[in-house]
Amino acid sequence: MAMEVPSSTAPTRLARLFEPRGIAIAGASGDPTRAGGQALRALGAHGYRGGIFPVNPRYPELAGHRCHPDLASIDGECDLAVVALPAAQVPGIIRQCGRRGIPFAVVLGGGFREAGPEGARLEQDMLEAAHAHAVRIVGPNCLGLVNVHAGVYAAFGSITREPRLAAGGVSAVLQSGGFGNALVRQCAQAGVGFRHVVTTGNEADLTAAELIDAFVEDAQTRVILAYLEGVADGRTLMAAGRRALAAGKPVLVLKAGNTDQGRRAAASHTANLTGHYDVYRAAFRQCGMIEVGDIHEAADFALVLSAGRFPEGRNVALMGGSGGSAAVFADTADQVGLSIAPFVAETTAELEAALPPLASCGNPVDYGPGFPSPSSVQGYTRACKALLADPGIHQLGLLVASAGPGQVQLAAGELAQILPGTTKPVLAFSAMTDEPVPAGLAMLRQAGVPVLPSPRRVARAMAMLATYAEARTRASGAGWSAQGLYPTVVQPPIPPDALAALPRGPATLDEHAGKALLSSTGIPVSADVLLPIGSTGVDGLRYPVAVKIVSPDIAHKTEVGGVKLHVADAGQLAAAIREVTANARRARPAARLDGVLVSEMVTGVETIVGVVNDPGFGPVVAFGIGGIFAEAVDDMAFRVAPFGVDEARAMIGELRMRALFDGLRGQPPCSTEAIAAVLVQVSALAWQLRARLSELDINPLIAGPVHAVAADALVVLR
Amino acid sequence: MAMEVPSSTAPTRLARLFEPRGIAIAGASGDPTRAGGQALRALGAHGYRGGIFPVNPRYPELAGHRCHPDLASIDGECDLAVVALPAAQVPGIIRQCGRRGIPFAVVLGGGFREAGPEGARLEQDMLEAAHAHAVRIVGPNCLGLVNVHAGVYAAFGSITREPRLAAGGVSAVLQSGGFGNALVRQCAQAGVGFRHVVTTGNEADLTAAELIDAFVEDAQTRVILAYLEGVADGRTLMAAGRRALAAGKPVLVLKAGNTDQGRRAAASHTANLTGHYDVYRAAFRQCGMIEVGDIHEAADFALVLSAGRFPEGRNVALMGGSGGSAAVFADTADQVGLSIAPFVAETTAELEAALPPLASCGNPVDYGPGFPSPSSVQGYTRACKALLADPGIHQLGLLVASAGPGQVQLAAGELAQILPGTTKPVLAFSAMTDEPVPAGLAMLRQAGVPVLPSPRRVARAMAMLATYAEARTRASGAGWSAQGLYPTVVQPPIPPDALAALPRGPATLDEHAGKALLSSTGIPVSADVLLPIGSTGVDGLRYPVAVKIVSPDIAHKTEVGGVKLHVADAGQLAAAIREVTANARRARPAARLDGVLVSEMVTGVETIVGVVNDPGFGPVVAFGIGGIFAEAVDDMAFRVAPFGVDEARAMIGELRMRALFDGLRGQPPCSTEAIAAVLVQVSALAWQLRARLSELDINPLIAGPVHAVAADALVVLR
């Protein structure tokens, strides 16, 4: 079977959606409490320079513009219709768009899928009209879209209100209007400038993934911000994420609907599927999307990413006059995997020469109070340069803390000179965001130094930069298809003969057949012999062995007494065969018994590898430690299949119990490379069989010092 | 042995420190770059109304005040000396304070313990002078103290700079000047008003714990904020925390120096001991202190606690027009143990009558766009009242999100009427902290509704309120000594005869003696018989049994082959005795062998109970699951001894693997009450023996369906 190329949307061509030459407002109104009134007013208020065409047969004129009875009467160039009409009129207006040659519509109002069966029918009618006339739709049930740079406010409600957003390089796609606008406003208050802001509502046509794609293509978008509750097609989202990663445009995601209560709350307000959060997290990681925990973290990260500097490692230098801030930073650094690394000797010597006599010149550097002053500022410059020149340092954190305006302005002036000479990120912590310090802080920001209001938040932002830089490095080494949907380097691992041997139609492969399938892809399996029912044994085995009943009707053999482990010799073997057969007959009298499998016992750490078919993401590989203890802590790692060895290694590293692989209490360490190789191969197998595989379980995969061996397997085909 | 009453500091009498009738500035200066200049200027600038007495023999007058050659020359009432002099002059000035009858000094400068041996000697001299003359000292090596209400700025540096702190009910103790001031400034920017702010520097005399005590006694302090790196006497800190809890004054703690890198950074800037973070966390919990993760959380919590409303449970109602905000809230609610609970029927009926037709009247309540308006505001009021009247709802969250100023002001006006009629907390989320909405937000705050800028932060604050209210309830039921140092209800559990039987001086009790000690306190132990070396067995045993070598020289018996488990009958017993004896002789030829212990095997979940002697907190009990898997995840809970059954239950609940006690995979569930009883008794034993106990290990404590049985014990006395 050759690797299939999955269908994909064509590259988005949404430029006219964001830069329309003219905008019609269907349902325009003079009433500022109505959507059609707010949209009309917002277009006028924000300096949009294209044509504004109110459409409403009841008025000859609105807000100084000629009002049109219908879309057909518009005589200027018009690329976008803002639809502020009751749901029942929307399918008709979309048809009008098509006939008038208006390629885009933003449908603001609700009353569609989210409102029940009648609304769902209207949404379907609207979509059919859109498809028939090649009209692309944002919404319905949304606040609309904004192009801040061009003053395009195809929107109503809170998103159109003062204060006006500052223009900048961040474009946002938001699966909630109210919360999404709150997110954007908070970021703006922190100093983030925006390019496009799109609320997607029901996503009947244009999806979050397509809009991310459009932002990737938009030259003036540098950072992408997404609020997501769920997506119907996870692979398309990942593909958009990968393209953004390749283009060097970081994607920040705030994801909701991740817990039982969160899913219930999300389901009650939109029709978005939320799916399994572990799978989303894995998907975000795999395509380099950056998850943020809260609004202020989105703002922090957007500011820091907008500076456009990325580190080449996880070592940071700290300098400041506040030892407490360094301690607070360091705790977070420890948690997020940053290292406050030692300096090379040259750096320390420079610091000792540059800083005041009582300064502490290790990392973190503490120069004490009253520094820099106008007379000592050259020392400050010299110290900054030394830290940035240290080959073992990848980022610099300046702990300004509560230093006064004089010191901050002095430092900012110097840093403006220093930063062009380095590509390393420089971040600052200052708590003094009230006047009169902000003049200095603004200078720092101007110089390319993002300023955040806590040392912990500086540490988290630095860790985010390092992790994102790692994802970029990984991505540049991986070969992905043009659509970013699958890695081109994955070879279908099941050879043709093994593929041909699979049963047609729904089937459950027993352990013997399941292990044969795994073995055909190169995954080590425990040696076994399938004996007929009634057999008393077999020669040539290496004891101890495991004895298991084989039946297509018994998926969980242990539960029926169908497994005997640690069988030590030929005598015990005969007894064990009798026992598992009798137990199976007693527990499941109707089951077909195909034989008894005798397999060599493998020793090592018991792990579990599984494949599940996620409704949004398709085949997903799960990996964890076996046994009751791991079950008790729910210690599993997930990745969307297929993936390479880097991701497999990262899965192993995510397990809380990973120390078991190091060989605790005198056990030999396990080969995590052998485990990783199995995970990669399982992911490739799952991708190859994605049209047929319902479930695959390797339980256990025994991890030993050299190999990782599948000691049992269950494969369910559909 | 009778229960000892530990020595304790007398109740603090620091009123004159915070409200001095006059302040001397030793080392006063006209130079605003010097500490003595800044302190003098700050006192003048912030409206301090007492006497200001510059002391410097070089000037006749400073800043309009007569300048004194020495402290003795001051003729007005003077309760506080601000010392801005080189370290070498400080012991002398403290003696001058004593002679002049000045009871308090704030020593600003460094050059003491933190600067090396010579500084440590000066600090000792200073302390001896202080003790001899009954002078209490803040510092040295600090930014000083501030009483915002009275304009007392006995301080220099960033803490004295504009903008001025607003007066309010939060008092802060800060173990770092720069970071501490940053923390206070950020809280102030969020709207927190302050009472006292004290930076403690080296804490040579007055400690953070004593200052917390002073804040508890201060009528105008309502909330206490602490930045801590470490304390030398953890019990005193806990006692202060308990008194604060009893007084209804919440203590917020931001703790640093919790990780390897954090401890290194903290050690490099102060002499504070940081100790084991797990123990600090346990101690904070046990005395109801509220740990905050970051600066903004301190600000959030201070605002919310200042409102003075506390819930009676963990159920919350949400209402707003932003479904996305509810989803974001709900995810965090899930993580922090809040329940978005169903309403009683009356509430739902009221909501349906009060809210717009399309409103979603379950929890979370979503009233859709455009509500409330001036014409519908009565419905809003009715809905709020219904939610607050619901008996199953303990707090109300209003998801204002990005609603406009009109709606916010309408809501605020109504809430100002409603809140006096309920004791339940009401919190709001609004992202619109820029103009023009803040007029409405200020009204909300005025009405007693704290406003936070993210739904997640509202959820965390609500969970904090619930947890704090639970701690208050627990505390009101527990009997604590007047000093809050130990629970009065703990009876010394070791009976006099067992206590008398303990060896004098350093000793390691073997399993037999250790279990006898435990058993004397009522802790169930496995039945055992101690056989002499060379014995071949004993009658009357219930098999299977465990066989273990007994030697004062072999602490870890398994490692020398000194343990045989699952010994099934008399024949195996004789062989096992021979084997463990031979193994021990071979591994440790010099060890004294006292016999062989034969004990009944107990089945159940293996757990570990330990007691460690923490340098700052004394005896601490640790509890975890036994075995290699638990070791791999580091799954342990800690509590400072002694404690009651509530804390013991909470320890069990903290384990990640606690599901093991529920009886996974058909195992019978374990009695967690039996485990809790053992933990309580171990904690009482550890407290009773605190002067002698170096280490105690029950490994394993076997948890079964009815009992938890100590199957081995190691006790090390000093």
Side-chain angles (χ1 to χ4, degrees):
Chain A
M1 186 169 94
M3 186 64 104
E4 294 166 25
V5 178
S7 67
S8 152
T9 55
T12 52
R13 293 281 178 265
L14 304 183
R16 291 277 183 230
L17 171 65
F18 294 111
E19 311 266 4
R21 290 164 297 184
I23 302 176
I25 302 105
S29 159
D31 177 352
T33 70
R34 303 180 71 95
Q38 291 174 11
L40 182 57
R41 198 160 66 162
L43 278 173
H46 290 94
Y48 172 61
R49 295 173 166 220
I52 299 178
F53 308 108
V55 178
N56 191 331
R58 292 163 54 198
Y59 305 103
E61 193 213 273
L62 274 172
H65 302 281
R66 193 185 126 206
C67 197
H68 302 75
D70 50 32
L71 294 177
S73 329
I74 296 172
D75 50 9
E77 284 177 318
C78 183
D79 297 313
L80 175 61
V82 179
V83 181
L85 291 167
Q89 298 178 37
V90 172
I93 208 83
I94 297 300
R95 275 187 286 273
Q96 281 193 38
C97 285
R99 289 193 212 102
R100 173 60 183 75
I102 299 175
F104 297 105
V106 173
V107 181
L108 301 177
F112 293 90
R113 189 173 77 221
E114 83 289 355
E118 168 63 13
R121 197 185 56 72
L122 283 171
E123 188 166 315
Q124 194 53 41
D125 287 355
M126 176 192 80
L127 268 184
E128 282 167 16
H131 293 158
H133 294 85
V135 176
R136 299 304 307 270
I137 294 176
V138 172
N141 189 26
C142 71
L143 294 184
L145 75 81
V146 171
N147 171 346
V148 178
H149 293 217
V152 175
Y153 274 70
F156 83 113
S158 59
I159 203 169
T160 64
R161 265 202 299 270
E162 294 294 321
R164 190 172 172 175
L165 294 174
V170 178
S171 288
V173 56
L174 308 165
Q175 286 190 332
S176 158
F179 179 77
N181 183 47
L183 170 64
V184 164
R185 296 292 173 152
Q186 290 279 95
C187 287
Q189 283 171 39
V192 176
F194 282 90
R195 166 75 172 151
H196 298 310
V197 176
V198 188
T199 65
T200 58
N202 288 9
E203 295 194 4
D205 178 25
L206 278 166
T207 63
E210 283 173 281
L211 289 158
I212 291 172
D213 261 336
F215 298 156
V216 171
E217 289 176 13
D218 174 48
Q220 294 184 73
T221 295
R222 298 185 61 187
V223 175
I224 297 165
L225 172 63
Y227 167 73
L228 299 181
E229 294 182 358
V231 296
D233 182 352
R235 298 265 167 180
T236 304
L237 179 70
M238 290 179 76
R242 286 212 179 86
R243 285 190 284 270
L245 188 65
K249 299 192 179 185
V251 182
L252 296 170
V253 185
L254 200 159
K255 168 81 175 68
N258 307 330
T259 62
D260 286 347
Q261 295 197 82
R263 269 185 286 275
R264 279 201 298 276
S268 78
H269 92 108
T270 66
N272 286 324
L273 296 166
T274 56
H276 194 319
Y277 180 50
D278 287 328
V279 177
Y280 275 97
R281 294 197 72 183
F284 294 154
R285 193 201 123 89
Q286 284 179 262
C287 63
M289 292 168 80
I290 302 159
E291 202 180 357
V292 297
D294 204 348
I295 296 177
H296 61 265
E297 190 162 271
D300 288 353
F301 288 8
L303 279 176
V304 168
L305 289 166
S306 295
R309 292 170 173 268
F310 299 96
E312 290 180 1
R314 302 192 79 93
N315 293 354
V316 301
L318 297 177
M319 183 165 74
S322 165
S325 302
V328 172
F329 180 103
D331 281 334
T332 304
D334 223 80
Q335 291 155 3
V336 298
L338 292 178
S339 174
I340 301 169
F343 300 135
V344 297
E346 292 82 348
T347 306
T348 310
E350 265 298 278
L351 292 170
E352 284 169 354
L355 295 177
L358 290 176
S360 174
C361 294
N363 198 2
V365 179
D366 189 343
Y367 45 60
F371 183 85
S373 67
S375 64
S376 64
V377 72
Q378 285 181 331
Y380 183 82
T381 306
R382 206 171 147 189
C384 286
K385 284 185 175 166
L387 294 171
L388 288 166
D390 190 305
I393 294 299
H394 308 115
Q395 301 191 70
L396 172 59
L398 301 172
L399 302 177
V400 174
S402 53
Q407 282 174 21
V408 176
Q409 289 184 27
L410 267 180
E414 297 303 306
L415 287 160
Q417 306 298 316
I418 296 166
L419 258 73
T422 176
T423 59
K424 295 178 182 178
V426 182
L427 281 73
F429 153 56
S430 170
M432 308 299 279
T433 50
D434 266 12
E435 292 296 341
V437 181
L441 297 186
M443 282 178 66
L444 268 180
R445 292 198 173 110
Q446 199 78 30
V449 180
V451 183
L452 303 183
S454 117
R456 295 215 198 285
R457 286 162 66 172
V458 173
R460 287 205 186 87
M462 284 179 150
M464 176 278 296
L465 284 179
T467 302
Y468 179 71
E470 288 160 8
R472 290 202 62 183
T473 307
R474 267 202 311 277
S476 67
W480 286 86
S481 66
Q483 286 79 23
L485 285 171
Y486 60 92
T488 53
V489 293
V490 173
Q491 295 302 316
I494 309 171
D497 54 338
L499 205 57
L502 289 178
R504 291 168 200 286
T508 297
L509 305 191
D510 62 30
E511 174 180 344
H512 190 65
K515 289 202 301 195
L517 176 64
L518 295 176
S519 185
S520 79
T521 71
I523 294 172
V525 300
S526 56
D528 60 27
V529 188
L530 182 61
L531 301 179
I533 295 292
S535 165
T536 56
V538 62
D539 289 335
L541 286 173
R542 210 158 25 168
Y543 288 95
V545 295
V547 177
K548 306 174 202 174
I549 198 72
V550 176
S551 163
D553 305 318
I554 303 176
H556 299 286
K557 299 179 279 265
T558 305
E559 289 178 7
V560 301
V563 178
K564 292 288 288 181
L565 302 177
H566 306 289
V567 175
D569 53 37
Q572 287 189 17
L573 176 59
I577 292 172
R578 280 194 305 274
E579 192 178 332
V580 300
T581 309
N583 286 346
R585 285 213 170 106
R586 192 162 45 239
R588 300 282 157 81
R592 190 183 88 202
L593 304 185
D594 287 347
V596 172
L597 193 74
V598 180
S599 50
E600 291 173 12
M601 296 281 299
V602 189
T603 57
V605 175
E606 281 196 24
T607 69
I608 302 174
V609 179
V611 177
V612 290
N613 231 309
D614 185 86
F617 288 88
V620 172
V621 176
F623 173 62
I625 306 287
I628 195 167
F629 291 89
E631 191 178 311
V633 288
D634 193 17
D635 193 15
M636 300 289 287
F638 297 84
R639 286 296 183 280
V640 179
F643 50 80
V645 71
D646 280 347
E647 293 293 349
R649 288 182 189 130
M651 289 177 85
I652 299 165
E654 281 172 22
L655 295 190
R656 289 190 183 127
M657 292 189 176
R658 62 186 173 275
L660 286 176
F661 300 131
D662 301 339
L664 289 181
R665 297 194 189 168
Q667 300 291 313
C670 303
S671 167
T672 51
E673 284 302 289
I675 302 171
V678 171
L679 292 172
V680 168
Q681 207 63 348
V682 167
S683 84
L685 180 158
W687 180 245
Q688 186 181 3
L689 285 184
R690 64 193 175 281
R692 294 213 53 205
L693 192 64
S694 289
E695 189 187 340
L696 183 156
D697 279 300
I698 305 177
N699 185 5
L701 176 80
I702 306 283
V706 179
H707 297 297
V709 178
D712 197 351
L714 174 70
V715 178
V716 182
L717 300 173
R718 64 187 173 213
Chain B
M1 185 169 93
M3 187 65 106
E4 294 165 28
V5 178
S7 67
S8 154
T9 55
T12 53
R13 294 281 177 265
L14 305 182
R16 291 277 183 229
L17 171 64
F18 294 112
E19 310 267 5
R21 290 164 297 182
I23 303 177
I25 302 105
S29 159
D31 179 352
T33 71
R34 302 180 70 94
Q38 291 175 12
L40 182 58
R41 197 159 67 162
L43 277 173
H46 291 93
Y48 172 62
R49 293 172 170 223
I52 299 178
F53 309 107
V55 178
N56 192 330
R58 293 164 55 197
Y59 304 103
E61 194 214 272
L62 274 172
H65 303 280
R66 193 187 125 206
C67 196
H68 302 74
D70 50 33
L71 293 177
S73 329
I74 295 172
D75 49 10
E77 283 178 316
C78 183
D79 296 313
L80 174 62
V82 179
V83 181
L85 291 167
Q89 299 178 37
V90 172
I93 208 83
I94 296 299
R95 274 187 288 272
Q96 281 193 38
C97 286
R99 290 193 211 103
R100 173 59 182 76
I102 299 175
F104 298 104
V106 174
V107 181
L108 300 177
F112 293 90
R113 191 173 76 222
E114 84 289 355
E118 169 62 14
R121 197 185 56 73
L122 283 171
E123 189 166 314
Q124 194 52 42
D125 288 355
M126 177 193 78
L127 267 183
E128 281 167 16
H131 293 158
H133 293 86
V135 176
R136 300 302 310 267
I137 294 176
V138 172
N141 189 26
C142 71
L143 294 184
L145 74 82
V146 171
N147 171 345
V148 178
H149 293 216
V152 175
Y153 274 70
F156 83 113
S158 59
I159 202 169
T160 64
R161 264 201 299 270
E162 294 293 323
R164 188 172 173 173
L165 294 174
V170 178
S171 288
V173 56
L174 307 165
Q175 286 190 334
S176 158
F179 179 76
N181 184 47
L183 171 63
V184 164
R185 295 292 173 153
Q186 291 278 96
C187 288
Q189 283 171 41
V192 176
F194 281 90
R195 165 75 172 150
H196 299 310
V197 177
V198 187
T199 65
T200 58
N202 288 9
E203 295 195 5
D205 178 25
L206 278 166
T207 63
E210 284 173 280
L211 289 158
I212 290 171
D213 262 334
F215 298 156
V216 171
E217 288 176 13
D218 174 50
Q220 294 186 74
T221 294
R222 298 184 60 187
V223 175
I224 297 165
L225 171 64
Y227 167 73
L228 299 181
E229 293 182 357
V231 296
D233 181 352
R235 297 263 167 181
T236 303
L237 179 71
M238 290 179 76
R242 286 212 178 87
R243 286 191 283 270
L245 189 64
K249 299 192 179 184
V251 182
L252 297 169
V253 185
L254 200 159
K255 169 81 175 69
N258 307 329
T259 62
D260 286 347
Q261 294 196 82
R263 268 184 288 275
R264 278 201 299 275
S268 77
H269 92 107
T270 66
N272 288 323
L273 296 166
T274 55
H276 194 319
Y277 180 50
D278 288 328
V279 177
Y280 276 97
R281 294 196 71 182
F284 294 154
R285 192 201 123 88
Q286 285 178 260
C287 64
M289 293 168 80
I290 302 160
E291 202 180 356
V292 298
D294 205 348
I295 296 177
H296 61 266
E297 190 163 88
D300 288 354
F301 288 7
L303 279 177
V304 168
L305 288 166
S306 296
R309 292 170 173 268
F310 299 95
E312 290 180 1
R314 302 192 79 93
N315 293 354
V316 302
L318 298 177
M319 182 166 74
S322 166
S325 301
V328 172
F329 180 103
D331 281 335
T332 304
D334 224 81
Q335 290 156 3
V336 297
L338 292 177
S339 173
I340 301 169
F343 300 136
V344 298
E346 292 83 347
T347 307
T348 311
E350 266 295 280
L351 292 170
E352 285 169 353
L355 295 176
L358 290 176
S360 173
C361 293
N363 199 3
V365 179
D366 190 342
Y367 46 60
F371 183 85
S373 68
S375 63
S376 64
V377 73
Q378 284 182 330
Y380 184 80
T381 304
R382 204 169 148 189
C384 286
K385 284 185 176 167
L387 294 171
L388 288 166
D390 190 305
I393 294 300
H394 308 115
Q395 301 191 71
L396 172 59
L398 301 172
L399 303 176
V400 174
S402 53
Q407 281 173 21
V408 174
Q409 289 184 29
L410 267 180
E414 298 303 305
L415 286 160
Q417 306 297 316
I418 296 167
L419 257 74
T422 177
T423 60
K424 295 179 181 178
V426 182
L427 281 74
F429 153 55
S430 170
M432 307 300 279
T433 52
D434 266 11
E435 293 294 344
V437 180
L441 298 186
M443 282 178 67
L444 269 180
R445 291 198 173 111
Q446 198 79 31
V449 180
V451 183
L452 302 183
S454 116
R456 296 214 198 286
R457 286 162 66 173
V458 173
R460 286 206 186 87
M462 285 179 150
M464 177 277 296
L465 284 179
T467 302
Y468 179 70
E470 288 159 10
R472 291 202 62 183
T473 306
R474 266 201 312 275
S476 67
W480 285 86
S481 67
Q483 288 80 21
L485 284 171
Y486 60 93
T488 53
V489 293
V490 173
Q491 295 303 316
I494 310 172
D497 56 338
L499 206 57
L502 289 178
R504 290 166 202 286
T508 297
L509 304 192
D510 61 30
E511 174 180 343
H512 191 64
K515 289 201 302 195
L517 176 65
L518 294 177
S519 185
S520 79
T521 72
I523 294 172
V525 300
S526 57
D528 60 26
V529 188
L530 182 61
L531 300 180
I533 296 292
S535 165
T536 54
V538 61
D539 289 336
L541 286 173
R542 210 158 26 167
Y543 289 95
V545 295
V547 177
K548 306 175 203 174
I549 197 73
V550 176
S551 164
D553 305 317
I554 302 176
H556 298 286
K557 299 178 279 265
T558 306
E559 289 179 5
V560 301
V563 178
K564 291 288 287 183
L565 303 176
H566 306 289
V567 175
D569 53 39
Q572 287 190 18
L573 176 58
I577 292 172
R578 280 195 305 276
E579 191 176 335
V580 298
T581 309
N583 286 347
R585 284 213 171 106
R586 193 163 44 241
R588 300 283 157 80
R592 190 184 86 204
L593 304 185
D594 288 346
V596 173
L597 193 75
V598 181
S599 50
E600 293 174 9
M601 298 280 300
V602 189
T603 56
V605 175
E606 280 195 25
T607 70
I608 302 174
V609 179
V611 177
V612 290
N613 232 308
D614 185 87
F617 287 89
V620 172
V621 177
F623 173 62
I625 305 287
I628 195 167
F629 291 90
E631 191 178 310
V633 288
D634 194 17
D635 192 15
M636 300 291 286
F638 297 84
R639 286 294 183 282
V640 179
F643 50 79
V645 69
D646 280 347
E647 293 292 350
R649 288 182 188 128
M651 288 177 85
I652 299 166
E654 279 171 22
L655 295 189
R656 288 191 183 126
M657 291 188 176
R658 61 185 174 275
L660 286 176
F661 299 131
D662 301 339
L664 290 180
R665 296 194 191 170
Q667 300 293 312
C670 302
S671 167
T672 51
E673 285 302 290
I675 301 170
V678 170
L679 293 171
V680 168
Q681 207 63 346
V682 167
S683 83
L685 178 158
W687 180 245
Q688 186 180 4
L689 285 184
R690 64 193 175 280
R692 296 212 53 204
L693 192 65
S694 289
E695 190 187 341
L696 184 156
D697 278 302
I698 305 177
N699 185 4
L701 176 80
I702 305 284
V706 179
H707 297 296
V709 179
D712 197 351
L714 174 70
V715 178
V716 182
L717 301 172
R718 63 188 172 211

